[in-house]
Amino acid sequence: MPGGTTGALILMLFLVFLLGMFLDWTGIVLLSFPIMLPIVSQMGVDVLWFVVMVAVVLQTSFLTPPFGYALFYLKGVAPKGVEIVDLYKAVIPFCALILLACVLMAFFPVLITGLPSLLMGS
């Protein structure tokens, strides 16, 4: 694969992001994990790190169009006069922060694996 391990991980996370725009998280996990987790493990990537990254990317995809499941939930509890377009605009900073967190977790995996390693004594 062009890009090696990094390229493969980026492609997998991007595919999960795209799936998250159209499917519920349970469907994505049931479809993608049996395929992706053995590949990730074979590449020598920490599976815990990958699963947390997938969870964060999924959260971002639930806030983005075309469906944005979380936005529809928010629309249901929003006061009258708040349009769905207003919600789409309002989540842009949150999506940017989540993507920044993904970048930080990618460059500093200890942010994800540090506490479990400490608790497990490894």
Side-chain angles (χ1 to χ4, degrees):
M1 164 127 204
T5 301
T6 304
L9 290 171
I10 290 171
L11 177 66
M12 286 185 228
L13 291 173
F14 181 72
L15 288 174
V16 166
F17 181 79
L18 287 179
L19 288 172
M21 291 181 177
F22 303 102
L23 298 174
D24 192 31
W25 73 270
T26 52
I28 296 167
V29 168
L30 292 173
L31 287 172
S32 65
F33 276 19
I35 297 167
M36 292 181 181
L37 288 182
I39 295 170
V40 167
S41 181
Q42 184 77 24
M43 290 188 306
V45 175
D46 188 348
V47 175
L48 172 66
W49 176 85
F50 180 73
V51 170
V52 170
M53 290 293 285
V54 166
V56 172
V57 167
L58 274 176
Q59 180 58 42
T60 309
S61 69
F62 295 151
L63 293 173
T64 57
F67 294 111
Y69 292 115
L71 297 176
F72 287 117
Y73 301 141
L74 288 173
K75 176 69 174 135
V77 297
K80 289 188 183 243
V82 176
E83 297 296 324
I84 195 75
V85 175
D86 299 327
L87 294 174
Y88 283 143
K89 291 176 186 174
V91 298
I92 291 172
F94 294 103
C95 288
L97 286 172
I98 293 170
L99 293 176
L100 175 65
C102 281
V103 169
L104 287 173
M105 290 184 295
F107 284 111
F108 305 105
V110 73
L111 292 172
I112 297 171
T113 60
L115 184 60
S117 295
L118 184 67
L119 291 175
M120 299 301 288
S122 47

